[in-house]
Amino acid sequence: MKKDVREVLEKVNSGNYSPEEETIAKLWLHQLHQHDEAGLSEKELTEISDEMWDRLQKDKKQKWFRQRTTWITVAAAASIVLVVSAGLYIYRGQTSGSANSLKAYLNDVPAGSNKAYLTLASGKKIPLSNSSTGTLAVEAGVKITKTNDGQLVYTVSDQGKKAERAYNRIETPRGGQYQLHLPDGTKVWLNAASSLKYPASFAALNERRVELVGEAYFEVAKDKSHPFIVSSGTQEVEVLGTHFDINAYPDEQIVKTTLLEGAVKLNRQVVLKPGEQSVWTGKKFSVREVNVNDVIDWKNGEFAFNNEPLSDILKKVSRWYDVEIIYAHPPEHMPTFTGSISRFENVSSVLNMLEETSTTRFTIEGRRIIVLTR
Protein backbone atom coordinates (compact mmCIF):
# COMPACT_ATOMS: atom_id res chain seq x y z
CA MET A 1 0.00 0.00 0.00
CA LYS A 2 1.30 3.46 -0.89
CA LYS A 3 1.12 6.42 1.43
CA ASP A 4 1.70 9.87 -0.04
CA VAL A 5 3.86 11.92 2.30
CA ARG A 6 1.83 15.08 1.73
CA GLU A 7 -1.39 13.33 2.79
CA VAL A 8 0.21 11.83 5.90
CA LEU A 9 1.86 15.06 6.98
CA GLU A 10 -1.33 17.06 6.50
CA LYS A 11 -3.11 14.65 8.85
CA VAL A 12 -0.30 14.91 11.38
CA ASN A 13 -0.44 18.71 11.15
CA SER A 14 -4.20 18.70 11.81
CA GLY A 15 -3.81 16.35 14.76
CA ASN A 16 -6.17 13.81 13.15
CA TYR A 17 -3.90 10.87 12.36
CA SER A 18 -3.86 7.15 13.03
CA PRO A 19 -1.11 5.15 14.83
CA GLU A 20 -0.11 3.83 11.40
CA GLU A 21 0.28 7.37 10.00
CA GLU A 22 2.23 8.43 13.07
CA THR A 23 4.62 5.54 12.45
CA ILE A 24 5.05 6.52 8.79
CA ALA A 25 5.73 10.14 9.73
CA LYS A 26 8.38 9.12 12.25
CA LEU A 27 10.05 6.79 9.78
CA TRP A 28 10.04 9.53 7.14
CA LEU A 29 11.59 11.94 9.64
CA HIS A 30 14.37 9.45 10.30
CA GLN A 31 14.92 8.72 6.61
CA LEU A 32 14.96 12.42 5.79
CA HIS A 33 18.00 12.95 8.01
CA GLN A 34 19.69 9.66 7.20
CA HIS A 35 19.49 9.86 3.42
CA ASP A 36 18.60 13.48 2.61
CA GLU A 37 16.10 12.17 0.05
CA ALA A 38 14.44 15.57 -0.34
CA GLY A 39 17.65 17.39 -1.34
CA LEU A 40 17.06 20.01 1.35
CA SER A 41 19.57 22.19 3.16
CA GLU A 42 20.56 21.29 6.72
CA LYS A 43 18.69 24.38 7.95
CA GLU A 44 15.50 23.32 6.14
CA LEU A 45 15.84 19.76 7.45
CA THR A 46 16.19 21.03 10.99
CA GLU A 47 13.18 23.36 10.68
CA ILE A 48 11.02 20.62 9.20
CA SER A 49 11.96 17.95 11.72
CA ASP A 50 11.62 20.34 14.69
CA GLU A 51 8.09 21.36 13.75
CA MET A 52 7.12 17.84 12.75
CA TRP A 53 8.50 16.52 16.02
CA ASP A 54 6.48 19.02 18.07
CA ARG A 55 3.31 18.02 16.22
CA LEU A 56 3.90 14.35 17.03
CA GLN A 57 4.03 14.80 20.79
CA LYS A 58 1.33 13.09 22.80
CA ASP A 59 0.02 16.31 24.35
CA LYS A 60 -2.33 17.48 21.61
CA LYS A 61 -3.13 20.64 23.62
CA GLN A 62 0.29 22.14 23.19
CA LYS A 63 0.42 25.35 21.15
CA TRP A 64 0.84 25.32 17.38
CA PHE A 65 3.89 27.00 15.94
CA ARG A 66 3.56 30.00 13.64
CA GLN A 67 5.30 28.25 10.74
CA ARG A 68 3.52 24.93 11.11
CA THR A 69 2.75 24.63 7.36
CA THR A 70 6.37 25.04 6.24
CA TRP A 71 7.27 21.39 6.39
CA ILE A 72 4.16 20.30 4.49
CA THR A 73 4.99 22.62 1.61
CA VAL A 74 8.62 21.56 1.39
CA ALA A 75 7.77 17.88 1.79
CA ALA A 76 5.22 18.06 -1.00
CA ALA A 77 7.72 19.79 -3.26
CA ALA A 78 10.16 16.99 -2.55
CA SER A 79 7.57 14.50 -3.96
CA ILE A 80 8.60 11.69 -1.63
CA VAL A 81 6.29 8.66 -1.59
CA LEU A 82 6.83 6.05 1.10
CA VAL A 83 6.52 2.80 -0.77
CA VAL A 84 9.43 1.24 1.16
CA SER A 85 9.72 -0.60 4.41
CA ALA A 86 7.11 1.49 6.25
CA GLY A 87 4.12 -0.05 4.51
CA LEU A 88 5.63 -3.53 4.42
CA TYR A 89 6.42 -3.64 8.13
CA ILE A 90 3.22 -1.94 9.23
CA TYR A 91 0.86 -4.19 7.35
CA ARG A 92 2.84 -7.30 8.17
CA GLY A 93 2.35 -6.34 11.81
CA GLN A 94 -1.42 -6.02 11.36
CA THR A 95 -1.75 -9.73 10.68
CA SER A 96 -0.96 -10.48 14.32
CA GLY A 97 -3.00 -7.71 15.97
CA SER A 98 -5.42 -4.87 15.45
CA ALA A 99 -4.46 -1.42 14.21
CA ASN A 100 -5.03 -0.08 17.72
CA SER A 101 -2.18 -2.20 19.03
CA LEU A 102 0.33 -0.65 16.61
CA LYS A 103 3.03 1.46 18.24
CA ALA A 104 5.71 3.63 16.73
CA TYR A 105 7.83 0.53 16.29
CA LEU A 106 8.35 -1.44 13.13
CA ASN A 107 9.76 -4.39 15.04
CA ASP A 108 10.22 -5.70 18.57
CA VAL A 109 13.03 -7.45 20.38
CA PRO A 110 12.61 -10.05 23.15
CA ALA A 111 14.44 -9.78 26.45
CA GLY A 112 17.72 -11.52 27.18
CA SER A 113 17.91 -14.86 28.98
CA ASN A 114 20.20 -17.22 30.90
CA LYS A 115 23.00 -17.99 28.49
CA ALA A 116 26.76 -18.10 28.77
CA TYR A 117 29.88 -19.91 27.61
CA LEU A 118 32.23 -21.79 29.91
CA THR A 119 35.85 -22.19 28.83
CA LEU A 120 37.72 -24.89 30.75
CA ALA A 121 41.44 -24.90 31.55
CA SER A 122 41.87 -27.43 28.74
CA GLY A 123 40.51 -24.87 26.26
CA LYS A 124 37.22 -26.71 25.76
CA LYS A 125 34.31 -24.27 25.35
CA ILE A 126 30.85 -25.30 26.55
CA PRO A 127 27.69 -23.34 25.61
CA LEU A 128 25.76 -23.42 28.86
CA SER A 129 22.39 -22.46 27.39
CA ASN A 130 22.36 -25.57 25.19
CA SER A 131 24.06 -28.05 27.52
CA SER A 132 22.00 -30.60 29.43
CA THR A 133 21.79 -30.62 33.22
CA GLY A 134 24.15 -32.72 35.30
CA THR A 135 27.93 -33.04 35.31
CA LEU A 136 29.67 -31.02 32.61
CA ALA A 137 33.28 -31.75 33.50
CA VAL A 138 35.67 -32.87 36.26
CA GLU A 139 39.08 -31.17 36.50
CA ALA A 140 41.60 -30.23 39.18
CA GLY A 141 39.66 -32.31 41.71
CA VAL A 142 36.51 -30.24 41.10
CA LYS A 143 33.20 -31.33 39.57
CA ILE A 144 31.34 -28.78 37.44
CA THR A 145 27.58 -29.26 37.37
CA LYS A 146 24.68 -27.52 35.69
CA THR A 147 21.56 -27.52 37.86
CA ASN A 148 17.95 -27.81 36.73
CA ASP A 149 17.40 -24.07 37.21
CA GLY A 150 20.37 -23.27 34.97
CA GLN A 151 23.06 -22.46 37.54
CA LEU A 152 26.68 -23.52 37.30
CA VAL A 153 27.99 -25.17 40.48
CA TYR A 154 31.56 -26.16 41.40
CA THR A 155 32.04 -28.81 44.09
CA VAL A 156 35.23 -30.46 45.36
CA SER A 157 35.24 -34.05 44.15
CA ASP A 158 38.78 -34.99 45.22
CA GLN A 159 39.97 -33.37 48.46
CA GLY A 160 43.50 -34.66 48.00
CA LYS A 161 44.07 -33.26 44.52
CA LYS A 162 45.59 -29.79 44.14
CA ALA A 163 45.03 -27.47 41.25
CA GLU A 164 47.96 -26.63 39.02
CA ARG A 165 47.01 -23.03 38.34
CA ALA A 166 44.11 -24.18 36.18
CA TYR A 167 41.67 -21.38 35.31
CA ASN A 168 38.14 -21.36 33.96
CA ARG A 169 36.33 -18.47 32.34
CA ILE A 170 32.60 -17.87 32.07
CA GLU A 171 31.33 -15.30 29.58
CA THR A 172 27.86 -13.95 29.00
CA PRO A 173 27.07 -12.52 25.55
CA ARG A 174 25.00 -9.41 24.94
CA GLY A 175 21.48 -10.47 25.81
CA GLY A 176 22.68 -13.05 28.35
CA GLN A 177 23.11 -13.48 32.10
CA TYR A 178 24.18 -16.36 34.34
CA GLN A 179 24.63 -17.47 37.95
CA LEU A 180 27.40 -19.69 39.28
CA HIS A 181 28.76 -21.10 42.53
CA LEU A 182 32.56 -20.99 42.73
CA PRO A 183 34.59 -23.82 44.30
CA ASP A 184 34.72 -21.98 47.66
CA GLY A 185 30.93 -21.58 47.80
CA THR A 186 30.88 -17.95 46.65
CA LYS A 187 27.79 -17.08 44.60
CA VAL A 188 28.18 -14.89 41.52
CA TRP A 189 25.53 -13.33 39.29
CA LEU A 190 26.98 -12.25 35.95
CA ASN A 191 25.24 -9.51 33.95
CA ALA A 192 25.10 -9.25 30.15
CA ALA A 193 28.30 -8.82 28.11
CA SER A 194 30.51 -9.78 31.07
CA SER A 195 33.17 -12.35 31.90
CA LEU A 196 34.77 -13.84 35.00
CA LYS A 197 38.10 -15.66 35.12
CA TYR A 198 38.71 -17.79 38.24
CA PRO A 199 40.71 -20.81 39.46
CA ALA A 200 39.13 -24.18 38.86
CA SER A 201 40.02 -24.84 42.49
CA PHE A 202 41.08 -22.58 45.36
CA ALA A 203 42.88 -25.45 47.09
CA ALA A 204 46.47 -24.65 48.08
CA LEU A 205 46.04 -20.97 47.09
CA ASN A 206 46.74 -18.22 49.62
CA GLU A 207 44.06 -15.98 48.20
CA ARG A 208 40.90 -16.34 46.15
CA ARG A 209 41.53 -14.06 43.21
CA VAL A 210 39.17 -13.62 40.26
CA GLU A 211 39.16 -11.24 37.27
CA LEU A 212 35.99 -9.44 36.18
CA VAL A 213 35.11 -7.62 32.98
CA GLY A 214 31.61 -6.12 32.91
CA GLU A 215 29.22 -6.38 35.84
CA ALA A 216 28.72 -9.00 38.55
CA TYR A 217 27.12 -9.30 41.95
CA PHE A 218 29.03 -11.33 44.55
CA GLU A 219 27.99 -13.09 47.73
CA VAL A 220 31.39 -14.15 49.00
CA ALA A 221 31.76 -17.21 51.22
CA LYS A 222 33.55 -16.33 54.48
CA ASP A 223 37.12 -17.52 54.84
CA LYS A 224 39.29 -15.26 57.01
CA SER A 225 42.51 -17.03 56.10
CA HIS A 226 41.94 -16.69 52.35
CA PRO A 227 40.88 -13.18 51.27
CA PHE A 228 38.69 -12.90 48.19
CA ILE A 229 39.99 -10.42 45.62
CA VAL A 230 38.20 -9.15 42.52
CA SER A 231 40.44 -7.53 39.94
CA SER A 232 38.77 -5.17 37.42
CA GLY A 233 41.37 -3.38 35.34
CA THR A 234 43.29 -1.08 37.70
CA GLN A 235 40.91 -1.64 40.61
CA GLU A 236 41.14 -4.43 43.20
CA VAL A 237 38.42 -5.20 45.75
CA GLU A 238 39.49 -7.24 48.77
CA VAL A 239 36.95 -8.91 51.07
CA LEU A 240 36.70 -11.67 53.64
CA GLY A 241 32.99 -12.35 53.25
CA THR A 242 30.40 -9.87 52.01
CA HIS A 243 27.82 -8.89 49.36
CA PHE A 244 28.69 -6.32 46.72
CA ASP A 245 28.28 -5.30 43.07
CA ILE A 246 31.00 -4.22 40.63
CA ASN A 247 30.24 -2.45 37.37
CA ALA A 248 33.38 -2.38 35.23
CA TYR A 249 32.35 -2.36 31.57
CA PRO A 250 35.12 -1.48 29.11
CA ASP A 251 32.95 1.15 27.40
CA GLU A 252 32.40 3.04 30.66
CA GLN A 253 34.80 5.71 31.88
CA ILE A 254 34.54 4.64 35.53
CA VAL A 255 34.32 1.54 37.72
CA LYS A 256 31.53 1.51 40.31
CA THR A 257 31.62 -0.75 43.38
CA THR A 258 28.56 -0.87 45.63
CA LEU A 259 28.50 -2.54 49.04
CA LEU A 260 25.35 -4.19 50.40
CA GLU A 261 26.69 -6.12 53.37
CA GLY A 262 30.00 -6.46 55.27
CA ALA A 263 33.05 -4.43 54.28
CA VAL A 264 35.41 -4.14 51.32
CA LYS A 265 38.76 -2.46 50.77
CA LEU A 266 39.56 -0.89 47.40
CA ASN A 267 43.18 -0.78 46.20
CA ARG A 268 44.18 -1.07 49.85
CA GLN A 269 43.19 2.53 50.52
CA VAL A 270 39.39 3.01 50.53
CA VAL A 271 36.98 1.11 52.80
CA LEU A 272 33.28 1.06 51.99
CA LYS A 273 30.35 0.76 54.37
CA PRO A 274 27.00 -0.86 53.48
CA GLY A 275 24.94 1.47 51.30
CA GLU A 276 28.00 3.20 49.87
CA GLN A 277 29.28 3.22 46.30
CA SER A 278 32.78 4.04 45.16
CA VAL A 279 33.57 5.55 41.78
CA TRP A 280 37.06 4.82 40.43
CA THR A 281 38.25 6.96 37.53
CA GLY A 282 41.55 5.15 37.16
CA LYS A 283 43.30 7.85 39.17
CA LYS A 284 41.18 8.53 42.24
CA PHE A 285 38.18 7.31 44.24
CA SER A 286 35.05 9.14 45.28
CA VAL A 287 32.45 7.67 47.65
CA ARG A 288 28.72 8.38 47.84
CA GLU A 289 25.59 6.91 49.41
CA VAL A 290 23.19 5.16 47.02
CA ASN A 291 19.98 3.14 46.97
CA VAL A 292 21.49 -0.32 46.61
CA ASN A 293 18.25 -1.75 45.21
CA ASP A 294 18.64 0.50 42.17
CA VAL A 295 22.16 -0.82 41.66
CA ILE A 296 21.26 -4.52 41.75
CA ASP A 297 17.98 -4.10 39.85
CA TRP A 298 19.35 -6.27 37.02
CA LYS A 299 20.03 -9.15 39.45
CA ASN A 300 16.43 -8.93 40.66
CA GLY A 301 15.02 -8.97 37.12
CA GLU A 302 14.23 -5.27 36.80
CA PHE A 303 15.27 -2.02 35.22
CA ALA A 304 15.13 0.60 37.98
CA PHE A 305 15.95 4.22 37.18
CA ASN A 306 16.37 7.01 39.71
CA ASN A 307 16.96 10.31 37.94
CA GLU A 308 19.14 8.40 35.48
CA PRO A 309 20.28 9.93 32.16
CA LEU A 310 18.80 8.46 29.01
CA SER A 311 22.27 7.64 27.66
CA ASP A 312 23.02 5.42 30.68
CA ILE A 313 19.64 3.69 30.43
CA LEU A 314 20.10 2.95 26.74
CA LYS A 315 23.54 1.41 27.39
CA LYS A 316 21.80 -1.11 29.66
CA VAL A 317 19.06 -1.66 27.10
CA SER A 318 21.69 -2.20 24.40
CA ARG A 319 23.50 -4.90 26.38
CA TRP A 320 20.43 -6.72 27.64
CA TYR A 321 18.49 -6.76 24.36
CA ASP A 322 21.58 -7.01 22.13
CA VAL A 323 20.63 -3.98 20.08
CA GLU A 324 22.51 -1.03 18.61
CA ILE A 325 21.50 2.45 19.78
CA ILE A 326 21.53 5.20 17.14
CA TYR A 327 20.73 8.85 17.83
CA ALA A 328 19.00 10.40 14.81
CA HIS A 329 20.01 13.84 16.07
CA PRO A 330 22.67 14.82 18.60
CA PRO A 331 20.51 15.55 21.68
CA GLU A 332 20.57 19.13 22.93
CA HIS A 333 20.24 17.82 26.45
CA MET A 334 20.02 14.34 27.95
CA PRO A 335 16.71 13.77 29.79
CA THR A 336 16.65 11.80 33.04
CA PHE A 337 14.10 9.21 34.16
CA THR A 338 12.77 7.69 37.36
CA GLY A 339 10.78 4.46 37.33
CA SER A 340 11.02 0.69 37.04
CA ILE A 341 9.90 -2.13 34.76
CA SER A 342 10.53 -5.86 34.45
CA ARG A 343 13.71 -6.75 32.59
CA PHE A 344 11.86 -9.63 30.92
CA GLU A 345 9.44 -7.48 28.94
CA ASN A 346 10.07 -6.95 25.24
CA VAL A 347 12.14 -3.89 24.49
CA SER A 348 9.03 -2.04 23.22
CA SER A 349 7.63 -1.99 26.78
CA VAL A 350 10.76 -0.29 28.08
CA LEU A 351 10.74 2.23 25.26
CA ASN A 352 7.04 2.97 25.79
CA MET A 353 7.69 3.70 29.44
CA LEU A 354 10.41 6.18 28.48
CA GLU A 355 8.15 7.79 25.87
CA GLU A 356 5.26 8.30 28.28
CA THR A 357 7.25 10.57 30.57
CA SER A 358 9.28 12.57 28.06
CA THR A 359 9.48 13.99 24.55
CA THR A 360 11.82 11.17 23.54
CA ARG A 361 10.59 8.89 20.77
CA PHE A 362 12.00 5.64 19.37
CA THR A 363 11.82 3.54 16.23
CA ILE A 364 12.97 -0.08 16.04
CA GLU A 365 14.59 -1.23 12.80
CA GLY A 366 15.81 -4.82 13.03
CA ARG A 367 18.21 -4.82 15.98
CA ARG A 368 18.71 -1.07 15.88
CA ILE A 369 16.87 1.42 18.07
CA ILE A 370 16.64 4.90 16.53
CA VAL A 371 16.41 7.61 19.20
CA LEU A 372 14.47 10.72 18.23
CA THR A 373 14.84 13.24 21.04
CA ARG A 374 14.82 16.98 21.59
Side-chain angles (χ1 to χ4, degrees), residues 260 291-298 300 304:
L260 285 80
N291 183 336
V292 296
N293 290 325
D294 291 343
V295 176
I296 63 168
D297 57 344
W298 64 271
N300 297 328

Side-chain angles (χ1 to χ4, degrees), residues 45 64 75 77 89 97 111 235 283 353 364:
L45 282 174
W64 284 37
Y89 277 103
Q235 176 184 278
K283 294 182 178 180
M353 183 187 74
I364 304 173

Side-chain angles (χ1 to χ4, degrees), residues 73-257:
T73 304
V74 180
S79 301
I80 303 173
V81 180
L82 293 181
V83 197
V84 290
S85 57
L88 295 174
Y89 277 103
I90 289 167
Y91 290 100
R92 187 180 301 163
Q94 283 185 333
T95 61
S96 59
S98 66
N100 292 332
S101 67
L102 286 171
K103 302 293 183 182
Y105 310 118
L106 308 181
N107 207 337
D108 208 347
V109 180
S113 59
N114 290 333
K115 51 188 173 185
Y117 298 92
L118 173 65
T119 303
L120 302 176
S122 62
K124 181 181 179 181
K125 193 169 186 176
I126 303 173
L128 297 177
S129 55
N130 299 328
S131 61
S132 57
T133 59
T135 301
L136 300 180
V138 178
E139 64 173 16
V142 174
K143 181 168 66 174
I144 307 170
T145 305
K146 181 181 176 182
T147 64
N148 290 331
D149 57 357
Q151 297 182 33
L152 193 66
V153 178
Y154 283 69
T155 54
V156 177
S157 61
D158 185 352
Q159 295 283 356
K161 189 170 184 178
K162 296 183 179 181
E164 297 295 336
R165 293 291 181 180
Y167 288 89
N168 288 177
R169 182 189 299 272
I170 184 171
E171 303 169 81
T172 54
R174 291 164 59 87
Q177 65 177 15
Y178 219 79
Q179 182 181 350
L180 68 151
H181 294 190
L182 296 178
D184 65 333
T186 292
K187 298 179 182 179
V188 183
W189 286 257
L190 207 59
N191 204 350
S194 303
S195 69
L196 188 73
K197 180 181 178 181
Y198 50 93
S201 171
F202 290 115
L205 298 178
N206 295 326
E207 61 184 18
R208 299 171 288 168
R209 179 179 291 272
V210 301
E211 298 176 17
L212 171 68
V213 175
E215 184 170 20
Y217 174 78
F218 296 84
E219 291 185 358
V220 178
K222 294 182 178 180
D223 185 348
K224 292 183 179 180
S225 59
H226 297 88
F228 192 96
I229 299 173
V230 183
S231 175
S232 302
T234 57
Q235 176 184 278
E236 284 192 354
V237 178
E238 181 178 345
V239 302
L240 297 178
T242 186
H243 300 180
F244 60 99
D245 181 277
I246 299 178
N247 185 312
Y249 282 104
D251 60 349
E252 303 283 358
Q253 301 300 313
I254 57 177
V255 176
K256 292 182 287 188
T257 304

Side-chain angles (χ1 to χ4, degrees), residues 33 46-47 49-51 53-54 310 327-335 359-360 371-374:
H33 275 265
T46 301
E47 288 178 355
S49 60
D50 282 348
E51 293 179 34
W53 179 264
D54 290 324
L310 177 64
Y327 291 88
H329 317 281
E332 296 174 2
H333 66 278
M334 194 59 66
T359 60
T360 304
V371 185
L372 304 170
T373 185
R374 285 289 184 270

